[in-house]
């Protein structure tokens, strides 16, 4: 796996340790997903691509929730059910305008002490089909289809301050699912995750 891993950066606010002590409930927002192509596919459809980004944003959010839930006993906080998070955002008409709101406004709307949000950017350099064929033919880890970068942040709910940020760039093999992507990222995050007991 090592040859597929690239840069990693972690930022921790000097106030982090004190601030997280008061957190009890944390929400995970849908991730911002950007899917781009080095060479645009022949039958590229912008709307379909936007839909794919939206679907992936929700599935990364739900994969992260599942991952944290599976290890709930290791954390000092509870994580709001992502379904509840999304329903509250929808009810308040915020689903499509998250990038126009401050993190404290979002936290207030959700009734949580902090919010986890993130970005996943992926640039495809080869077709996924081509990469899958290569994987099937040559076995092993799968061939590189592009490059991706995942950023995960935690913002304090009362004032919106950024208290923790994790950035990881990675060369993508074929991820069979967002679960696999999150699983791999969270294994890297877990050593630095501020809510770990």
């Amino acid at each position: 796996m090592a040859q597929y891993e690239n840069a990693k950066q972690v930022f921790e606010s000097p106030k982090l340790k004190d601030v997280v002590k008061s957190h009890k409930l944390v929400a995970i927002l849908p991730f911002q997903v950007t899917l781009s192509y080095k060479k645009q596919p022949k039958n590229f459809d912008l709307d379909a691509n936007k839909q794919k980004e939206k679907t992936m944003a929700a599935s990364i959010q739900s994969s992260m929730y599942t991952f944290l839930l599976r290890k709930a006993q290791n954390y000092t906080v509870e994580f709001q059910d992502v379904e509840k998070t999304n329903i509250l955002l929808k009810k308040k008409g915020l689903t499509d305008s998250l990038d126009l709101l401050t993190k404290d406004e979002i936290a207030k709307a959700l009734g949580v002490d902090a919010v986890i949000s993130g970005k996943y950017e992926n640039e495809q350099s080869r077709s996924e089909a081509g990469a899958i064929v290569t994987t099937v033919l040559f076995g092993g880890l799968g061939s590189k289809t592009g490059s991706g970068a995942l950023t995960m942040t935690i913002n304090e709910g009362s004032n919106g301050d950024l208290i923790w940020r994790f950035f990881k760039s990675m060369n993508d093999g074929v991820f069979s699912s967002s679960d696999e992507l999150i699983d791999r990222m969270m294994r890297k995050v877990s050593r630095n995750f501020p809510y770990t007991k």
Side-chain angles (χ1 to χ4, degrees), residues 50-161:
K50 279 204 172 8
Q51 197 46 54
K52 201 172 167 186
E53 289 175 342
K54 230 177 178 165
T55 304
M56 195 164 182
S59 73
I60 290 178
Q61 176 195 28
S62 120
S63 293
M64 184 163 289
Y65 178 59
T66 305
F67 182 95
L68 294 169
L69 217 53
R70 281 203 321 255
K71 300 178 184 300
Q73 73 284 357
N74 301 343
Y75 303 120
T76 56
V77 293
E78 281 184 37
F79 299 96
Q80 188 174 64
D81 187 317
V82 291
E83 217 166 279
K84 181 177 180 177
T85 300
N86 294 342
I87 287 169
L88 288 171
L89 291 172
K90 201 172 271 179
K91 269 188 182 163
K92 296 177 196 259
L94 305 176
T95 309
D96 295 321
S97 55
L98 288 178
D99 52 343
L100 304 174
L101 298 165
T102 61
K103 294 295 190 272
D104 46 322
E105 289 172 323
I106 296 170
K108 199 173 287 156
L110 295 172
V112 294
D113 302 310
V115 289
I116 293 176
S117 59
K119 261 196 199 101
Y120 177 64
E121 293 162 295
N122 177 283
E123 187 184 59
Q124 292 288 319
S125 52
R126 296 178 48 184
S127 79
E128 223 162 276
I132 289 166
V133 167
T134 312
T135 307
V136 171
L137 291 175
F138 302 105
L141 271 176
S143 53
K144 213 178 109 183
T145 55
S147 56
L150 220 137
T151 307
M152 181 178 166
T153 55
I154 301 176
N155 292 73
E156 161 65 16
S158 61
N159 55 19
D161 286 355

Side-chain angles (χ1 to χ4, degrees), residues 13 17 20 34 40 45 49 59 67 76 79 114 129 147 179 181:
S13 155
K17 299 253 186 300
V20 297
T34 310
Q40 217 169 48
D45 176 342
N49 199 58
S59 73
F67 182 95
T76 56
F79 299 96
S147 56
D179 284 348
L181 173 73

